[in-house]
Amino acid sequence: MSKNIFAYIAHKNGVAQDSALELVAAAKKINPDAQVTAIVVGAGADLDALCNDMAASYNDVWKLDNEDFAYPNAESIRKALVNLLPKGDILLIAHDTFGMDLGPGLSIKLDAAFVPDAVGFDGINGDTLKVVRQEYSGMVSAHVDCDLSTGAVLNVRPGAFQPDESKSAGGKVTDKSGDIGDIDVKRRFLEVVEAEVGDVDITKADVLVSVGRGIEDEDNLEIITELAEAMGAVVSCSRPIVDAKWLEKSRQVGTSGQTVKPKVYLALGISGSFQHMGGIKGTPFMIAVNKNPKAPIFQVADVGIVTDMLDFIPELTEKIEAL
Amino acid sequence: MEIFVCVKRVPDSSENEIELNSSGTDIERDDLVYSVNEWDNYAVEEAIQIRDNVGGSVTVAAVGDEESEEVLRREMAMGVDKGVLLSDDMFEGADGKGIANILKAEIEKGSYNLILTGAQAEAGGAQVGGMLAAMLDVPYASLVNSIEVIDDSKLKVGREVEGGNQEMSEIEMPCVLSIQTGINEPRYVGIRGIRKVASMEIPVHGAGDLGLDASVAGEAGAKVKRTDYFVPDLGEGAEILEGSSDEIIAKLIELLKAKGGLK
């Protein structure tokens, strides 16, 4: 396969996200001999340092410096990439909130195939790339054949590949800012509203009692707060609990919530989607209670209990209180 | 405002254990409980709220077989004005782009200011909305968790981004937005509500009505094809505690003490 591979570098204020080096590994998995080009989009002085950083890991680095890119607006970046990218090649993008905004539309404009949320690559046969994905919140995996003949945009799940730290590419930086072209768009960035700080800071807790959809009803939350109280722990939760407005957003663990690093994490009625697990850092001792033995949480937990938490938790609380 | 909402009938993963069939070609579909894709339900609620504030109409559309009619009717019972089923044997095996092509063909038969999709569905693709916007050549925002109508031509939208932060933008209409859960509290629909819309006609549009052929909206045109499902080799996974609940609790308390989980 002679296709070039490009990787979009997600960064915040000139500091690359972890995905930047994960995409090096992903590209090598597709083709160990591929020439891989990093695309670094942004504005201002921080950009050169970031480009130089990336040159250690990528054969080529394209710098796209424009004041309109001071905040990454997927709409204008899509136009620039359509203007710049050769047709028929492969572009890797992290499947984060920016990548979900950029990738699907970009694939249409490039007339390329699109695979969302790839977690692995399993070989190439001619122009067909075998991609590994997950469906049903990780309860089953699937192989997907992707036709690369007119190019492909592949969104890669953050954390799915081990970052390539070899930094042995010795690449060069090319300033492509003059070739960005028309990037006038109909969606204008206004501001980022920071998450509200709640009454409890779950990011500082050593022991978290975390509750998910398995709690079934708001009234049942009482058994969770009682357990947490008995343990001297803090209550956190997964997304559905916040969507239902049963707990405040500041208690949500996950990529769209808080990133926590406790010593002990009790996951109660939480299935363990990658978005939830993405909010747990470090190596907490993880205990999962779920009535579904196939829940993905049991793949990552240290200890699992397959039972209905609504019966189990009050018993546990009682025994802990009696200690 | 004329609003078009794309919905999908999916196996309800909170009601089902998803398992593979014996050949690994599909999930085991016998006895599955189906419902509307959770994200789409929020999109429909949002559309109804916007219409109730500024006037106009809401149309819901589903790509699927005749069983999707039940899902359309449920969403119509929430207060939607029109439903349309996009159904044709040819659509089987269409990939995300194929689905977007089908929806685009239906959307172009009308005149819509705002097109909403759920942020994702059961396959976790989060792709159809962005593709649709690019095909229609209109602006797009994904993972939208707030919408404010500024005037006839503009919206102020919030996107849910990492860390619980919200990215605010102004977007011109017509546009496509993919809706994140939690943007509103979808209204409850009872049997009575569904009965009320039982007589509403749901037209079915096939490939011929939409001017589509298999190269853009069927398996033949799909560049992305699922070949099989499998259960990955996951290594050891969790140590599952077994025994009576007293035994399990005793073991768990021991572990919690050892790991600093009890204060």
Side-chain angles (χ1 to χ4, degrees):
Chain A
M1 191 196 68
S2 59
K3 289 185 181 297
N4 294 310
I5 301 180
F6 293 84
Y8 186 91
I9 304 301
H11 63 94
K12 198 169 184 185
N13 306 325
V15 179
Q17 304 280 2
D18 294 348
S19 60
L21 298 187
E22 293 166 15
L23 294 184
V24 178
K28 286 183 179 168
K29 180 79 200 230
I30 295 172
N31 178 3
D33 305 319
Q35 288 291 303
V36 191
T37 303
I39 300 177
V40 180
V41 179
D46 296 340
L47 213 55
D48 283 316
L50 175 59
C51 287
N52 290 333
D53 257 11
M54 288 300 112
S57 299
Y58 285 90
N59 306 103
D60 279 294
V61 178
W62 287 6
K63 179 173 90 162
L64 276 65
D65 184 354
N66 188 297
E67 61 183 20
D68 279 3
F69 298 150
Y71 185 87
N73 178 344
E75 294 286 288
S76 56
I77 291 170
R78 182 180 307 119
K79 282 188 103 170
L81 294 179
V82 172
N83 295 336
L84 273 165
L85 284 173
K87 288 275 157 70
D89 282 334
I90 294 172
L91 173 64
L92 305 178
I93 306 172
H95 191 64
D96 53 19
T97 63
F98 172 79
M100 289 186 222
D101 219 28
L102 175 67
L106 181 59
S107 74
I108 296 298
K109 294 296 187 190
L110 292 172
D111 194 26
F114 178 69
V115 180
D117 193 25
V119 299
F121 298 115
D122 222 355
I124 288 192
N125 185 0
D127 261 341
T128 303
L129 174 67
K130 202 168 264 310
V131 184
V132 181
R133 297 193 68 251
Q134 292 181 343
E135 298 190 8
Y136 299 96
S137 315
M139 283 193 270
V140 290
S141 294
H143 285 117
V144 169
D145 276 352
C146 176
D147 176 357
L148 301 175
S149 58
T150 60
V153 175
L154 307 172
N155 272 26
V156 178
R157 177 182 298 185
F161 287 84
Q162 286 297 316
D164 185 320
E165 309 270 9
S166 57
K167 299 191 194 276
S168 56
K172 62 177 193 304
V173 179
T174 309
D175 190 343
K176 293 273 187 180
S177 307
D179 302 328
I180 290 170
D182 167 33
I183 50 169
D184 197 23
V185 291
K186 293 176 176 173
R187 180 180 126 196
R188 284 163 297 278
F189 169 71
L190 300 171
E191 59 170 338
V192 168
V193 180
E194 301 278 333
E196 277 178 38
V197 180
D199 51 356
V200 175
D201 187 355
I202 63 169
T203 67
K204 300 225 159 55
D206 280 341
V207 184
L208 284 172
V209 169
S210 208
V211 57
R213 207 191 282 270
I215 194 71
E216 291 178 9
D217 195 280
E218 186 173 13
D219 293 341
N220 296 335
L221 275 178
E222 209 180 332
I223 64 172
I224 305 298
T225 48
E226 282 168 5
L227 174 63
E229 210 167 291
M231 290 174 63
V234 170
V235 174
S236 58
C237 65
S238 66
R239 175 176 195 108
I241 303 302
V242 173
D243 283 348
K245 312 218 167 12
W246 295 346
L247 286 174
E248 55 198 356
K249 180 91 183 160
S250 60
R251 292 199 189 248
Q252 183 192 331
V253 175
T255 50
S256 62
Q258 302 296 319
T259 299
V260 298
K261 32 186 189 315
K263 293 190 181 111
V264 174
Y265 191 79
L266 219 64
L268 307 172
I270 289 175
S271 68
S273 71
F274 81 91
Q275 291 94 339
H276 183 74
M277 302 320 293
I280 303 170
K281 296 294 177 205
T283 50
F285 184 73
M286 193 180 298
I287 300 153
V289 181
N290 203 297
K291 64 180 173 189
N292 177 4
K294 297 219 165 55
I297 191 83
F298 289 125
Q299 296 157 18
V300 288
D302 297 286
V303 167
I305 300 160
V306 182
T307 186
D308 187 341
M309 62 188 259
L310 298 179
D311 302 327
F312 180 77
I313 302 293
E315 282 184 57
L316 175 62
T317 305
E318 201 177 306
K319 293 273 166 53
I320 291 173
E321 281 170 344
L323 286 178
Chain B
M1 192 180 307
E2 299 303 306
I3 310 174
F4 186 93
V5 191
C6 312
V7 304
K8 187 178 183 187
R9 175 180 182 264
V10 299
D12 186 337
S13 58
S14 64
E15 295 286 332
N16 302 286
E17 282 182 26
I18 305 294
E19 295 179 332
L20 305 191
N21 68 7
S22 51
S23 58
T25 51
D26 196 2
I27 58 168
E28 184 57 63
R29 289 188 187 266
D30 290 349
D31 306 322
L32 278 187
V33 176
Y34 283 80
S35 60
V36 66
N37 175 42
E38 187 180 359
W39 286 264
D40 302 347
N41 209 36
Y42 287 88
V44 170
E45 175 65 36
E46 194 65 17
I48 292 169
Q49 289 187 16
I50 293 171
R51 180 206 59 196
D52 288 350
N53 284 331
V54 303
S57 78
V58 178
T59 301
V60 284
V63 178
D65 59 21
E66 65 270 21
E67 307 225 41
S68 294
E69 197 191 298
E70 175 197 347
V71 159
L72 281 172
R73 215 168 280 286
R74 190 203 170 278
E75 298 306 290
M76 287 162 78
M78 292 170 75
V80 166
D81 302 279
K82 279 177 273 182
V84 57
L85 177 60
L86 310 174
S87 190
D88 198 299
D89 290 346
M90 193 191 88
F91 299 161
E92 289 264 325
D95 61 3
K97 185 178 178 182
I99 301 294
N101 269 320
I102 298 163
L103 292 164
K104 168 178 178 270
E106 176 62 31
I107 288 164
E108 285 181 333
K109 288 163 80 85
S111 175
Y112 299 98
N113 311 97
L114 177 60
I115 295 140
L116 304 181
T117 70
Q120 63 170 75
E122 83 288 7
Q127 59 183 334
V128 170
M131 289 178 166
L132 190 53
M135 289 171 176
L136 294 165
D137 227 0
V138 300
Y140 174 60
S142 63
L143 304 164
V144 168
N145 64 358
S146 74
I147 301 177
E148 182 191 331
V149 178
I150 298 175
D151 58 34
D152 290 348
S153 64
K154 287 193 297 289
L155 304 172
K156 183 176 177 182
V157 297
R159 293 184 62 236
E160 184 186 85
V161 294
E162 279 75 11
N165 296 340
Q166 193 183 31
E167 174 195 297
M168 305 304 300
S169 299
E170 195 172 272
I171 191 164
E172 290 177 30
M173 289 186 280
C175 63
V176 179
L177 307 177
S178 89
I179 302 298
Q180 182 58 289
T181 56
I183 185 173
N184 53 39
E185 293 179 61
R187 66 197 66 194
Y188 175 75
V189 178
I191 299 287
R192 261 184 72 197
I194 294 172
R195 232 177 259 148
K196 269 191 191 158
V197 296
S199 61
M200 278 175 82
E201 196 196 335
I202 299 179
V204 180
H205 294 168
D209 306 309
L210 298 171
L212 295 168
D213 64 53
S215 68
V216 296
E219 192 175 357
K223 285 184 178 162
V224 178
K225 291 176 186 165
R226 184 178 52 233
T227 53
D228 63 293
Y229 282 106
F230 66 101
V231 177
D233 180 14
L234 297 162
E236 287 182 19
E239 178 203 342
I240 302 294
L241 301 186
E242 279 163 353
S244 70
S245 65
D246 279 351
E247 286 163 358
I248 290 174
I249 287 171
K251 176 74 182 154
L252 185 55
I253 287 175
E254 201 179 296
L255 283 166
L256 284 170
K257 278 183 181 164
K259 301 291 178 182
L262 293 179
K263 283 182 186 164

